Amino acid sequence: IEFNNNSIDVYYYQGGYTWRVLTTAVYRDTSAWYHVIVAVDTTQATASNRVRIYVNGSEVTAFSTASYPSQNADGAINNTVAHNISGLSGSSGFYFNGYLTEVNFIDGQALTPSSFGETNTVTGVWGPKRYAGTYGTNGFYLKFADNSNTTAATLGKDSSGNGNNW
């Protein structure tokens, strides 16, 4: 998952793009807060339901590129390979130039935005809420709350209860 020329680009690359979904919408306001959810569920019978992207509570449905994973395909995420948050695996210099406030990884479920956010009834603005469900075996919740050090016990601490520290 990355921002590519201000669009959201979700893909699996293994010597070439195996599948790729690139939004036509652009997100140019670099000072704005964005709530982004990517749900990948390759068990879905309909190809376009296998990768779903939501921004600030709304599903993105317009794509300049849309090739989906095959049904029941495995990918790199939640597999036995090195994982990175805000960086490209195996490369240097390809880092997210922004702030991450929370990262939830839910193992075994493809959830919708209502699990992680809600519209404020007074302001009408979409905002985050604490996820109250289960995380699954490999799931994690990174709050990035303790910046006293950059270790797995501080900045990369998993607050899901699973102990999957980064």
Side-chain angles (χ1 to χ4, degrees):
I1 303 165
E2 68 181 20
F3 279 91
N4 181 349
N5 294 319
N6 298 318
S7 294
I8 296 174
D9 196 357
V10 180
Y11 58 85
Y12 180 54
Y13 186 90
Q14 190 172 17
Y17 288 107
T18 302
W19 59 266
R20 183 180 190 193
V21 180
L22 177 64
T23 66
T24 56
V26 292
Y27 304 92
R28 291 188 180 108
D29 186 353
T30 58
S31 66
W33 173 86
Y34 293 106
H35 188 257
V36 179
I37 294 174
V38 175
V40 177
D41 181 0
T42 65
T43 66
Q44 294 295 313
T46 304
S48 61
N49 288 338
R50 295 180 196 145
V51 179
R52 300 178 90 167
I53 302 170
Y54 304 88
V55 177
N56 296 340
S58 298
E59 185 168 8
V60 178
T61 57
F63 304 102
S64 59
T65 299
S67 63
Y68 297 96
S70 58
Q71 191 171 23
N72 299 315
D74 282 332
I77 295 178
N78 205 21
N79 216 324
T80 56
V81 297
H83 287 59
N84 293 282
I85 295 174
S86 82
L88 184 61
S89 181
S91 299
S92 63
F94 293 99
Y95 300 105
F96 177 63
N97 186 16
Y99 295 102
L100 297 173
T101 54
E102 294 183 344
V103 172
N104 285 276
F105 175 69
I106 313 301
D107 181 11
Q109 301 177 73
L111 303 174
T112 62
S114 63
S115 296
F116 307 97
E118 60 194 354
T119 302
N120 183 302
T121 56
V122 175
T123 65
V125 175
W126 181 263
K129 73 176 185 183
R130 175 78 163 98
Y131 173 65
T134 60
Y135 283 86
T137 304
N138 295 317
F140 55 84
Y141 170 48
L142 305 179
K143 297 190 289 187
F144 305 113
D146 183 352
N147 64 358
S148 64
N149 203 336
T150 55
T151 67
T154 57
L155 193 60
K157 181 180 170 119
D158 174 18
S159 298
S160 73
N162 284 345
N164 294 324
N165 297 332
W166 284 73

